[in-house]
Amino acid sequence: MNPKEEEAKNGGDETANRDSSDIPALLVNTTQIPQPISQAQVQQISPAALAYLGDAIYELYVRMFFLWPQQRPEIYHRLVVAQVRAETQALHLRSLTPHLRSNELEIVRRGRNAATGRPKRLNPEIYQQATSLETLVGYLYLTDYPRLTELLQKLHLEK
């Protein structure tokens, strides 16, 4: 076995031994913005586009959180869906609000105002709050990744 194969094998063993407390560190080390984006560029991105990005980042975080201990894909799916549904996102936004800075509260407000169409089963306020959370996540992913990680670690995700 060559050194690269051995390193890959050893790295695989370490990954198998991780527990869920390693997830935030793993996210910080593996999810990096390809290139920096200026504040002027971020201001040109619509809140709906930030929410679109934030939805993906939030779901990725939740999926990684539930990777350990290993389970069947159906169980992963059930756990993740429970966390990414609008009602849960709205609860998460409310729990984070006391920790938000004034510029982050402004992004939340912009996200709330950008929430237009909604599923009929949802209360409009819940949908606005979920969109606000996604907008905040998208914004912080582009502008302040360490702050995003800090806030995501405050969420009460339950296994």
Side-chain angles (χ1 to χ4, degrees):
M1 183 179 298
N2 71 36
K4 285 187 179 180
E5 289 173 335
E6 189 171 319
E7 183 179 329
K9 181 181 180 228
N10 290 340
D13 291 344
E14 288 177 25
T15 304
N17 293 329
R18 292 185 194 273
D19 63 28
S20 62
S21 65
D22 294 333
I23 299 298
L26 183 63
L27 273 174
V28 169
N29 293 330
T30 61
T31 310
Q32 298 295 320
I33 300 170
Q35 51 186 303
I37 185 167
S38 74
Q39 189 63 34
Q41 289 172 310
V42 172
Q43 292 301 323
Q44 293 176 354
I45 300 172
S46 72
L50 289 173
Y52 176 76
L53 174 63
D55 177 57
I57 299 303
Y58 176 78
E59 184 166 339
L60 176 62
Y61 179 82
V62 172
R63 284 180 180 221
M64 290 181 74
F65 179 84
F66 287 113
L67 274 181
W68 289 280
Q70 292 186 1
Q71 301 186 44
R72 293 189 329 260
E74 304 82 35
I75 295 174
Y76 287 140
H77 178 74
R78 183 178 45 79
L79 292 169
V80 170
V81 166
Q83 294 301 312
V84 300
R85 58 185 295 150
E87 294 87 350
T88 306
Q89 287 181 341
L91 289 172
H92 287 321
L93 177 67
R94 290 194 293 271
S95 74
L96 289 178
T97 299
H99 306 284
L100 298 181
R101 300 170 180 158
S102 61
N103 66 319
E104 295 164 349
L105 290 168
E106 176 61 20
I107 293 299
V108 166
R109 185 194 62 75
R110 286 180 59 206
R112 182 187 65 235
N113 293 340
T116 53
R118 66 171 174 82
K120 290 181 181 179
R121 69 173 181 82
L122 279 180
N123 175 324
E125 185 177 327
I126 297 294
Y127 185 73
Q128 289 172 332
Q129 291 171 352
T131 302
S132 294
L133 176 68
E134 293 169 347
T135 304
L136 177 65
V137 169
Y139 173 80
L140 290 174
Y141 178 77
L142 294 174
T143 61
D144 191 351
Y145 192 79
R147 176 67 174 156
L148 172 61
T149 303
E150 176 187 334
L151 290 175
L152 289 175
Q153 290 175 351
K154 291 183 184 302
L155 298 179
H156 300 289
L157 302 179
E158 296 182 17
K159 292 193 175 194

